[in-house]
Amino acid sequence: MEDLLTEFTPTHSKLVSALHEHLTPVVDSNQSRDDGDLTISRPDHVLKVLQSQPDLKPLTKCLKWLTSNITGLNEFDIRLPGAEAAKIINVLVNDIIPHYWHVWTGSESRSYNRQRRLLLQCLTSVAGIGALVTRLRSFNPEPGEAQATIKTRLEQTPKAQLTNDLVNFLETLLDKDSVVDAIWTTDRIDPVISTQKAILWKELVSLLAGGRLLSAVAQAQDRHRSTESIDKQSSWLASGQLYSAWLGRNILFMVIHGKDDFARQHKDTARLLSKALTLGYTDQVVQSVFSSAIAGQRQDLEMLRVLLYDLASHEQKNVLYTVIRLITERDSCITSKYGFVGGLAALIDALVTDKTYLHEALVDWLGAKSMNGLKISIRSRRAVLAALSPHAELVKTALQKLLNDFGDKLYIKHTPVSQQEGNTQALLLVIGHVFMSDPEYVRSLVRTSVYINAISNRLAASSPRSQFFGMAVSSVVSTLVDSPDKRMCFSMDGTFKDEIIQYQQLIKTYDSVGALEELEATVPQIGTPLPERKIKKSQRVMNAKPKAPSAAISKVSTIQEISDDGTSEEDSLPVYNRADFDEEDTEEDEDPTLVQRNRSTAPVYIRDLLAGLNDTDNYDRHRLAILACSTLIRRKAHFGTELSSHLEALATALVGLSDKFTMENFQSLRLQGMIAVLVAAPLKMGQWFSATCFHGEYSMSQRLSILTTLSLGAREIAGYSAEDMALTDATLEPLFPTQKLPEKYHSIYAHDSVAPVTVLASQLERTLIAPMAASAADTLAGPAALRVRTFSSRMAIDAKRKKPLANALATIVADGFFFPLVRLWSVQPRVRGPHNPFTHPALLSHFLKTLALILHAAGASAPALPALTVEFFALLLSLRTSALAAPPVLEALLFGFLTLLELNAQRQQALAEDCARELSETKMWVEGVFERIGGGSEEGQRARGLAAGVLLRVTECGERWEGAMRGELSGFM
């Protein structure tokens, strides 16, 4: 016998061996999990590993190799432009961040800090930020696209979760004030030629200061704001004020810490500042950039002045006006008035120096006719005038402009009185300054026609306040230039006399430039540090967002003596954050032989999830898979083909899953996972679950969970997910202790999967019966003229009205849910014979409620509603006899009749014509049920209420048909 067997050998062995020599080994994801000797030496190796859906260990090795250039261990630098770097960044943004970032940020352990830091370093570049912004913008609708369609609404939740991860990653990446400086330093590396440096910096300026990043984040968050289970908190990247303040702090960091190529860096920084001023938040940008100068600190003033002069002339004027306005707005918080004037004058003089166009800008500011004059205080005018005092000609020019505006008739008639008051005060201040240096010029000015006409126009004004300004200027100036016996005097009451005295003090005021340090004691601190909050582990959420970057805090200028109140010295010591550590290395008290180093991690791919669900021997891995099941499936929906190729395998694993380890909320998590699988592919998986419920060899509890999945999943597809969100954890009302099994057996025999459908059916029953009961109560209350009615405004009614949503279930309910369930149920008696499990009252009542809930979720606008009505009527009427022997089936049957008639309330005439026999039989049978059932028990009362509702709807349908027939016959009379 052995001689007959011949060993098989390939005939083309030489050809096969030659082919093997030229083949390049490809890194397999399954092999990479167990391969601890993975070596990476080229960028193409990294690209192959990243594209093969790597696990945590090979991914960490790739990230380490990519960031090794920072320490000079690698020639390839992912931060520099190049084809290979672009491919790797594209994979990191499109694949690695969606798969891993939510796991790394949502973990209670700090063991992922190293991976997060490595990934952030890889994308801290112009190309990295640009790829993230491009990915965010890909989720935003194109101009003219509809707001929401059936397809886009089903895909909205996965896209919103991915958007949340990308925004969270950007927040973490840009959290520090040194990010822009780090990117600029990277672009200065020698391999990058000068032309590429200019192009890279221009692209970064367009991303950060041009509004591309701000608009992309704001538009993405606004698009997905209404999505359930998504963090509703707005990101600081979408807030123009917070984002502009962060950008200003980065510009200040570049100015202060610039070392190499100082002139080039200041020009690039000025270009960034120039673009940032166009964002629309000039105050926030200028306040952050010039924060140290505003606080009276001189060490950074020289560099800030160089930065200011690199801007265009109109931008320099805008920045100068903004600095004065910011200090003016803090006028009410300032304690030392004289120190403020001298300090602000010193700051203005230090910024302006010998720039003629800036001095002219200050002259224009003193005589400004815009509404900004309403916010200018008198002390700010004194400070600007003190800075201009060394330039006598400019002060005289300012006097001429103020005097012309003071006497202009249109200005007097149309300018607000408060602004006229400010310009009057500025005019007196300038006259006083000019009189101190050149008294003859003032004496000759008051005799000119310009001054005389100005006073005359003021005195002839119709406004009493405008007249007073003319009297005040003329009387105060007369005290300077005229002798006591020739001074101009007006008769005024006590209030005006007090104001005249104040104006006389203005003309005698002469300020000079002080010291910049005077602002340090007068200007309050920009902000105070917020107390740190200790966050418990239980408070951490999966989508936790980093807080907005904190503003820089100015230096403490004074030292206060603190008395000893008995507190210990340790309480005042600063608290430092714990360094990154691996929790696996902290188990010092455990036996080293028992420590498990290879711990399970949460699955990030569908293949890992499926393996974790099937691994019932490893508790940690199995538990992590069940916890992440629903979230991971929803994230992968409409995201490639990874989920679609494993849908049936996932559904099979979830349906047959048993609670081997007695986990908490096991049934709820399993049900959520099954619903997620159904929602991912409604038509395909609706048919699969329907077939599995009848053909598979499952227990009654598993079949009940499948029916619950179909009902809750159908409602979520129809847009009722917000209402049913808590029903996966819902349970029936607690039983009395004598009616409940012991805890050990209750967890085995209690059907928790029935609870959501029962709760939904009860809520829908009350919703359908409540209008009928209210109408009957109104009928018994008496004539309509005696009733009191409360009227509501149209706006209040519109505010409570829900916006209509596209019902995605209406088009697929017939082929995906209803008809497969009904047809498979109808063949069970022939297939299973007398051992049909679907005749059990618990399963049959649950089946009928599931069909009713699916039909109600589809709505009255379903295209196949007439066919569904005929099919459901036939099914319900076939169960009339068996329902009388089982109260749960009877209640479910009446609930099905009521739901069916309610859906056809708008087509009662068509229903009476198409289903006349069914309506007649239903009425006769329900009348008998209503007479037979007693109202003593709670179940009886509920059944009688449902029967009464069915009778009322059937009667309305018949009356509607009779009325239509009378109207048609009246035409033949």
Side-chain angles (χ1 to χ4, degrees), residues 497-627:
K497 287 183 179 180
D498 295 339
E499 289 192 55
I500 288 292
I501 294 174
Q502 295 178 4
Y503 285 144
Q504 289 177 351
Q505 295 295 329
L506 289 178
I507 206 168
K508 299 177 182 179
T509 302
Y510 186 85
D511 300 296
S512 59
V513 178
L516 183 63
E517 287 74 16
E518 295 176 3
L519 282 178
E520 187 174 0
T522 58
V523 180
Q525 291 184 354
I526 295 176
T528 55
L530 297 177
E532 294 185 359
R533 295 181 298 173
K534 295 182 179 180
I535 302 177
K536 299 180 180 179
K537 289 184 177 180
S538 59
Q539 295 177 347
R540 297 177 181 172
V541 294
M542 289 296 293
N543 292 327
K545 287 190 168 212
K547 61 182 181 180
S550 58
I553 303 170
S554 59
K555 294 195 310 182
V556 179
S557 58
T558 58
I559 300 176
Q560 299 179 356
E561 183 179 356
I562 301 176
S563 60
D564 188 6
D565 55 354
T567 58
S568 61
E569 185 179 356
E570 296 180 356
D571 296 340
S572 60
L573 294 177
V575 180
Y576 295 95
N577 295 330
R578 301 176 65 182
D580 296 344
F581 72 100
D582 192 351
E583 290 187 354
E584 299 175 358
D585 300 331
T586 61
E587 303 172 355
E588 299 177 356
D589 299 334
E590 297 183 7
D591 187 357
T593 60
L594 301 178
V595 176
Q596 184 180 2
R597 300 296 181 185
N598 188 18
R599 296 188 177 182
S600 301
T601 58
V604 294
Y605 300 110
I606 296 298
R607 65 159 191 265
D608 298 332
L609 174 63
L610 191 58
L613 293 175
N614 294 326
D615 189 3
T616 56
D617 296 332
N618 190 340
Y619 169 76
D620 293 334
R621 186 183 184 187
H622 191 63
R623 174 178 171 273
L624 289 173
I626 294 176
L627 290 175

Side-chain angles (χ1 to χ4, degrees), residues 860-937:
S861 60
L865 182 61
L868 295 174
T869 301
V870 174
E871 194 78 17
F872 201 26
F873 250 135
L875 174 64
L876 294 175
L877 292 175
S878 66
L879 297 173
R880 287 175 292 178
T881 305
S882 58
L884 296 176
V889 179
L890 178 61
E891 182 181 348
L893 198 64
L894 293 173
F895 174 67
F897 276 123
L898 184 60
T899 304
L900 185 61
L901 294 171
E902 186 69 24
L903 286 176
N904 290 272
Q906 302 298 328
R907 51 183 301 273
Q908 290 181 347
Q909 182 179 352
L911 181 64
E913 294 175 357
D914 298 338
C915 304
R917 182 184 61 83
E918 287 82 355
L919 288 174
S920 177
E921 294 180 4
T922 301
K923 183 178 181 181
M924 295 176 57
W925 179 77
V926 174
E927 287 178 348
V929 170
F930 187 80
E931 296 175 356
R932 186 180 300 109
I933 298 177
S937 61

Side-chain angles (χ1 to χ4, degrees), residues 713-962:
R715 287 179 60 85
E716 181 174 346
I717 297 169
Y720 295 96
S721 56
E723 301 176 8
D724 303 343
M725 188 176 297
L727 291 180
T728 52
D729 296 326
T731 55
L732 294 175
E733 296 181 359
L735 299 174
F736 195 72
T738 57
Q739 300 177 346
K740 184 178 179 180
L741 292 173
E743 197 67 32
K744 177 180 178 181
Y745 299 101
H746 179 78
S747 60
I748 299 175
Y749 295 103
H751 302 308
D752 294 337
S753 57
V754 184
V757 173
T758 304
V759 173
L760 276 177
S762 301
Q763 292 178 355
L764 189 56
E765 289 175 8
R766 292 191 294 268
T767 303
L768 298 179
I769 296 177
M772 305 179 193
S775 178
D778 290 342
T779 304
L780 298 176
L786 300 179
R787 301 172 193 166
V788 178
R789 181 181 177 185
T790 303
F791 292 92
S792 301
S793 64
R794 180 179 59 83
M795 297 180 64
I797 296 176
D798 293 340
K800 296 180 181 179
R801 184 178 300 160
K802 295 182 179 180
K803 296 182 179 180
L805 297 175
N807 194 336
L809 181 66
T811 57
I812 61 174
V813 62
D815 298 331
F817 292 85
F818 194 85
F819 286 148
L821 285 173
V822 173
R823 290 168 182 171
L824 290 171
W825 181 87
S826 61
V827 300
Q828 294 304 308
R830 296 193 299 270
V831 174
R832 299 181 182 270
H835 304 289
N836 185 11
F838 291 93
T839 58
H840 191 278
L843 190 56
L844 182 56
S845 62
H846 197 71
F847 173 72
L848 293 176
K849 290 181 179 179
T850 299
L851 291 177
L853 290 174
I854 292 174
L855 197 60
H856 178 267
S861 60
L865 182 61
L868 295 174
T869 301
V870 174
E871 194 78 17
F872 201 26
F873 250 135
L875 174 64
L876 294 175
L877 292 175
S878 66
L879 297 173
R880 287 175 292 178
T881 305
S882 58
L884 296 176
V889 179
L890 178 61
E891 182 181 348
L893 198 64
L894 293 173
F895 174 67
F897 276 123
L898 184 60
T899 304
L900 185 61
L901 294 171
E902 186 69 24
L903 286 176
N904 290 272
Q906 302 298 328
R907 51 183 301 273
Q908 290 181 347
Q909 182 179 352
L911 181 64
E913 294 175 357
D914 298 338
C915 304
R917 182 184 61 83
E918 287 82 355
L919 288 174
S920 177
E921 294 180 4
T922 301
K923 183 178 181 181
M924 295 176 57
W925 179 77
V926 174
E927 287 178 348
V929 170
F930 187 80
E931 296 175 356
R932 186 180 300 109
I933 298 177
S937 61
E938 182 180 356
E939 294 181 355
Q941 289 286 354
R942 192 161 54 247
R944 285 175 63 87
L946 289 172
V950 173
L951 286 176
L952 182 60
R953 289 304 184 197
V954 173
T955 304
E956 289 179 357
C957 188
E959 291 176 354
R960 180 70 61 86
W961 180 80
E962 291 178 0

Side-chain angles (χ1 to χ4, degrees), residues 147-459:
Q147 179 65 23
T149 59
I150 294 178
K151 182 178 180 180
T152 56
R153 193 176 62 79
L154 290 177
E155 299 176 358
Q156 188 176 9
T157 300
K159 287 185 177 180
Q161 293 172 346
L162 182 55
T163 300
N164 196 28
D165 289 341
L166 291 174
V167 172
N168 182 273
F169 183 86
L170 275 171
E171 283 184 335
T172 309
L173 178 66
L174 304 176
D175 185 45
K176 297 181 180 180
D177 297 341
S178 59
V179 177
V180 180
D181 183 73
I183 297 176
W184 187 90
T185 306
T186 303
D187 295 342
R188 303 300 108 181
I189 299 176
D190 291 337
V192 184
I193 61 178
S194 58
T195 306
Q196 290 181 339
K197 294 176 184 178
I199 294 175
L200 288 175
W201 185 248
K202 184 178 180 180
E203 178 67 17
L204 183 64
V205 170
S206 176
L207 282 172
L208 300 182
R212 290 169 55 185
L213 174 61
L214 177 65
S215 61
V217 176
Q219 188 176 5
Q221 284 203 330
D222 182 71
R223 177 172 174 79
H224 303 295
R225 192 178 300 276
S226 60
T227 306
E228 296 83 3
S229 69
I230 299 299
D231 192 1
K232 301 298 189 299
Q233 182 181 3
S234 297
S235 169
W236 64 267
L237 291 174
S239 173
Q241 296 182 353
L242 296 177
Y243 179 80
S244 300
W246 166 84
L247 189 58
R249 291 194 301 272
N250 275 266
I251 295 173
L252 178 62
F253 188 91
M254 290 186 65
V255 172
I256 296 175
H257 297 85
K259 297 179 182 179
D260 302 332
D261 201 358
F262 180 81
R264 182 65 182 176
Q265 182 174 7
H266 267 270
K267 289 184 178 180
D268 291 343
T269 308
R271 190 177 304 164
L272 179 62
L273 176 58
S274 175
K275 196 68 174 179
L277 294 176
T278 62
L279 282 175
Y281 301 92
T282 306
D283 291 359
Q284 286 74 19
V285 175
V286 174
Q287 182 174 355
S288 298
V289 175
F290 292 85
S291 58
S292 59
I294 293 174
Q297 300 174 8
R298 188 178 292 275
Q299 66 271 17
D300 304 329
L301 188 59
E302 180 64 28
M303 291 180 288
L304 291 175
R305 184 164 54 239
V306 175
L307 175 66
L308 178 64
Y309 293 162
D310 286 335
L311 299 175
S313 59
H314 68 279
E315 293 171 347
Q316 296 181 33
K317 297 177 183 179
N318 188 16
V319 171
L320 183 61
Y321 293 161
T322 305
V323 170
I324 299 175
R325 183 172 66 253
L326 290 174
I327 299 179
T328 303
E329 291 174 353
R330 301 192 182 97
D331 194 6
S332 59
C333 303
I334 294 170
T335 57
S336 176
K337 299 182 180 179
Y338 298 100
F340 165 76
V341 174
L344 178 56
L347 176 60
I348 296 174
D349 184 67
L351 293 177
V352 173
T353 61
D354 57 347
K355 302 295 182 181
T356 305
Y357 56 90
L358 292 181
H359 287 106
E360 295 175 352
L362 292 177
V363 173
D364 296 337
W365 182 86
L366 277 175
K369 296 182 180 180
S370 62
M371 296 299 292
N372 292 332
L374 297 173
K375 301 180 181 179
I376 299 176
S377 66
I378 186 60
R379 285 181 285 167
S380 300
R381 298 180 188 272
R382 288 169 52 191
V384 173
L385 192 56
L388 288 174
S389 57
H391 308 276
E393 295 299 327
L394 291 176
V395 177
K396 293 179 182 179
T397 304
L399 176 57
Q400 292 290 341
K401 290 185 176 181
L402 288 171
L403 188 58
N404 291 333
D405 294 339
F406 183 76
D408 188 3
K409 293 182 179 180
L410 293 177
Y411 181 84
I412 296 172
K413 185 177 182 180
H414 299 289
T415 305
V417 176
S418 57
Q419 187 173 352
Q420 293 187 35
E421 181 180 3
N423 285 7
T424 303
Q425 295 172 355
L427 176 62
L428 293 176
L429 283 173
V430 175
I431 291 175
H433 270 261
V434 175
F435 187 80
M436 289 290 184
S437 59
D438 191 356
E440 293 300 327
Y441 180 81
V442 177
R443 289 190 180 97
S444 62
L445 180 65
V446 298
R447 291 177 176 84
T448 60
S449 60
V450 177
Y451 178 80
I452 296 174
N453 291 333
I455 299 299
S456 301
N457 293 336
R458 282 285 174 178
L459 296 178

Side-chain angles (χ1 to χ4, degrees), residues 675 678-679 708-718 809 817:
I675 294 174
L678 176 61
V679 174
T708 303
T709 300
L710 289 170
S711 57
L712 294 182
R715 287 179 60 85
E716 181 174 346
I717 297 169
L809 181 66
F817 292 85

